[in-house]
Structures are given as C-alpha cells and as structure tokens.
Amino acid sequence: DAKGSPTMEGFLEFQQQLRSAERQPCLSPWDGCHGTLRGSSLSLFWDKRTAAENMAPVATLDLRGAQCERPGHQHGRRYAFSLRLSSRVEMPWAAPSEGQAESGIPALSSTA
C-alpha cells in the first residue's frame, strides 16, 4: 500500500522542466532528489534525511498508467530513463549508476 514500507528508494536526477508529449526540446538543468516508491506513488524529497523523517515530499507522482523506458538518446545523462505519465507528460530521469538504473526501471515499470 502507499503508506507501507517503500518498495524502492534512492537518489535520482531529473530535468526541472517537464516535456510535453510533442517531445519539445528540453534545455533546462538537471537537479537531484531522493525518490521513494510506495505502491503506485513516487514521492520526491530534497534529500534522504527529509524522506527518513517523514517530512512532506516536494512532489508525489501517480504512476498508474505511466510508461518507463530507456530513451534512444540519453538526455545528456549516462543512466537516463523516461517516465511518461498517464497525463502524457514525459519526465526525463537519470540514476547515479547502471545498477540502480537496471533495478529501478523494472520496479517503476511494474508499478506503472
């Protein structure tokens, strides 16, 4: 359930400007956050400490109906992936390592 223990958590980078389904160029900088996946919700915190202290997340994404994939071009990041939400908003993300990308993408995909 969404309030239970996280099924996955860790550091993620994301592009601050969201892209529309029309794939408009994304020139904004990358920023980092701590992500916690519970049920079909991905909660984003500024850091691991705020997540551990159960502070309110900066944002929570509903992943129901979302698609997670490794894009053909990597958005300027080595371990990049994309989340396309059911609202058709596409969000570029990057994991800090190949191992986290390889474990995170299936977890996000199975949630979506």
Side-chain angles (χ1 to χ4, degrees):
D1 76 55
K3 295 184 189 230
S5 298
T7 54
M8 175 166 271
E9 64 181 319
F11 180 78
L12 293 169
E13 289 182 299
F14 64 97
Q15 274 192 316
Q16 294 175 6
Q17 177 184 350
L18 302 181
R19 296 190 319 162
S20 70
E22 289 81 35
R23 296 193 178 267
Q24 297 169 355
C26 212
L27 302 175
S28 64
W30 289 77
D31 204 353
C33 67
H34 183 83
T36 303
L37 181 63
R38 284 187 177 96
S40 62
S41 295
L42 177 61
S43 297
L44 306 176
F45 300 88
W46 287 122
D47 55 35
K48 188 174 186 174
R49 181 186 60 79
T50 56
E53 293 176 359
N54 291 322
M55 298 179 83
V58 174
T60 300
L61 304 175
D62 181 359
L63 299 182
R64 287 177 293 192
Q67 296 174 345
C68 184
E69 60 189 28
R70 294 291 293 261
H73 71 89
Q74 298 294 308
H75 301 292
R77 290 294 191 263
R78 188 169 182 185
Y79 306 115
F81 59 95
S82 256
L83 271 176
R84 185 184 311 267
L85 304 178
S86 59
S87 63
R88 301 190 43 85
V89 170
E90 183 177 342
M91 302 179 69
W93 295 85
S97 69
E98 182 67 22
Q100 286 187 339
E102 292 300 321
S103 64
I105 291 172
L108 291 169
S109 294
S110 67
T111 298

